[in-house]
Amino acid sequence: MAYFLLKRLAKEHQLVREDWEELLTSPSSELMHDAQELAVQLREPIYGKNIFIRGLIEISNICHNDCYYCGIRRSNPNVSRFRLSADELMTCCENGHKFGFRTFVLQGGEDDFYTDDFLCPLLQKIHNNFPDCAITLSLGERSSASYRRLFDAGANRYLLRHETATAEHYAQLHPSWMSYTNRMLWLSDLKTLGYQVGAGFMVGSPGQTVAHLAADLCFLQNFRPAMIGIGPFISQQDTPFANEKNGSAEQTLYLLSLIRIMHPHVLLPATTALNTLLSNGSQRGMQAGANVVMPNLSPASCREKYALYDHKACTGIESIEGLELLKKQMAEIGYKVVIDRGDYQ
Ligand code: SAH
């Protein structure tokens, strides 16, 4: 029965909620294996064996927000805070460009220092200095006017995970002033403005049930974002979720496969969180259907301070210094890291 559902998903690229729940409830290892095979088959004619790399620049760990799962939330007093200057950011891009990166992802906490007046000239400069590169932003919730200005200044893509597509669950993960409805509005706003949008969620976040995951997949199959970021939840010792259990790497891999089958064209990273739980997470991720990796281009001294969760992997293939090793690991399993913007096809 479950296998039949997978085959239907591969043909129709969508399922009703009950069918998602069935696929997600205690999948057998055979089913996970079948999902991987279908995912790889469906990715093949679109992206082949190409792996896109994105240079992740963590611009600041200062945040006015207070998400319960996140290590850089404002209520955490044990974070040594940093913020990159415009010059430091440009240096990261220059470095990245030399190494073959053609997408820069500026990610950070919701840091009020980065106003539109600060960011717009910076984006224009990145755009002018690196005209062959795409610029992705992941700076949380701003305003429609701000998203528009940043787009006009040269940003092409925006990553804003929906985190969970169930309002009650959203409220379990976020402070009272954040709202599920707003989150969803921002996402459609970003799409309307012309961004390639990334949504996504944590696998195994506290309180998450199969019904929540089914709702996530229903949302994603309707919204069809260009990018979907998922990774296991990993607890951080100074957050309200310090004692919560980590998400499962195996379940994350299975979800990567299901997402690829549901949305064959999607740009799908094997995330640092997956690599943190699984030493060969990038390889396993690609074999499950992913096609993107996001090595860290930030100054080495800042990487540990950007601690969304404990024991974040940041010294191996997760960083620019590990790029050769990453290429080797990908070659070992028959994949190729390419020098390309890697736009949504
Ligand atoms: N401030 C930006 C960037 C957040 S960090 C924003 O709000 O979009 C990017 C993603 O890391 C988050 O969307 C969240 O899904 C993930 N993340 C945060 N804390 C985490 C944790 N403890 N374990 C795993 N992933 C986490």
Side-chain angles (χ1 to χ4, degrees), residues 7 27 30 82 135-136 183 195 227 234 299 321 327-328:
K7 293 295 273 187
E30 287 82 13
F82 75 89
I135 308 175
T136 306
R183 193 71 161 193
Y195 283 97
M227 305 163 286
I234 304 176
E321 297 80 13
K327 287 182 184 165
K328 204 170 130 236

Side-chain angles (χ1 to χ4, degrees), residues 72-86:
I72 64 168
R73 63 200 300 267
R74 74 166 188 215
S75 299
N76 183 358
N78 301 325
V79 184
S80 152
R81 305 278 174 178
F82 75 89
R83 160 189 297 147
L84 300 189
S85 68

Side-chain angles (χ1 to χ4, degrees), residues 60 62-63 65 67-72 106-111 137-141 158-163 174 178 183 200-203 229-236 239 241 246 271 273 306-310:
S60 167
I62 297 170
C63 190
N65 226 322
C67 307
Y68 300 153
Y69 45 83
C70 185
I72 64 168
L106 275 51
Q107 187 181 84
E110 296 186 358
D111 180 349
L137 299 177
S138 178
L139 302 173
E141 296 189 7
Y158 206 99
L159 307 180
L160 184 70
R161 289 187 177 178
H162 66 285
E163 309 297 358
H174 298 99
M178 287 184 77
R183 193 71 161 193
F201 57 91
M202 292 175 287
V203 178
I230 65 162
F233 162 77
I234 304 176
S235 69
Q236 203 285 341
T239 63
F241 291 156
N246 288 345
T271 52
Y306 195 81
L308 306 179
Y309 44 82
D310 289 334

Side-chain angles (χ1 to χ4, degrees), residues 40-58:
V40 169
Q41 268 171 33
L42 285 166
R43 188 190 51 202
E44 188 65 31
I46 306 162
Y47 295 111
K49 289 284 191 284
N50 286 349
I51 301 299
F52 300 123
I53 48 171
R54 320 293 199 196
L56 178 65
I57 307 174
E58 295 159 341

Side-chain angles (χ1 to χ4, degrees), residues 105-237:
V105 183
L106 275 51
Q107 187 181 84
E110 296 186 358
D111 180 349
D112 301 322
F113 173 83
Y114 294 103
T115 58
D116 297 340
D117 286 340
F118 178 92
L119 286 172
C120 288
L122 179 73
L123 293 173
Q124 272 151 3
K125 194 165 167 195
I126 299 178
H127 185 66
N128 291 337
N129 290 11
F130 309 101
D132 55 348
C133 292
I135 308 175
T136 306
L137 299 177
S138 178
L139 302 173
E141 296 189 7
R142 297 175 71 90
S143 68
S144 289
S146 168
Y147 290 143
R148 180 187 296 276
R149 279 191 67 190
L150 300 176
F151 184 79
D152 291 341
N156 312 100
R157 307 179 186 145
Y158 206 99
L159 307 180
L160 184 70
R161 289 187 177 178
H162 66 285
E163 309 297 358
T164 172
T166 307
E168 302 78 59
H169 189 219
Y170 194 89
Q172 279 174 264
L173 302 176
H174 298 99
S176 56
W177 64 83
M178 287 184 77
S179 112
Y180 166 76
T181 313
N182 280 345
R183 193 71 161 193
M184 291 302 180
L185 285 174
W186 293 133
L187 281 166
S188 30
D189 222 37
L190 287 161
K191 204 179 202 185
T192 310
L193 285 169
Y195 283 97
Q196 293 176 40
V197 177
F201 57 91
M202 292 175 287
V203 178
S205 61
Q208 186 180 68
T209 63
V210 161
H212 295 148
L213 285 172
D216 289 322
L217 293 166
C218 285
F219 162 68
L220 292 168
Q221 76 189 0
N222 289 327
F223 187 65
R224 300 263 149 201
M227 305 163 286
I228 296 179
I230 65 162
F233 162 77
I234 304 176
S235 69
Q236 203 285 341
Q237 60 186 354

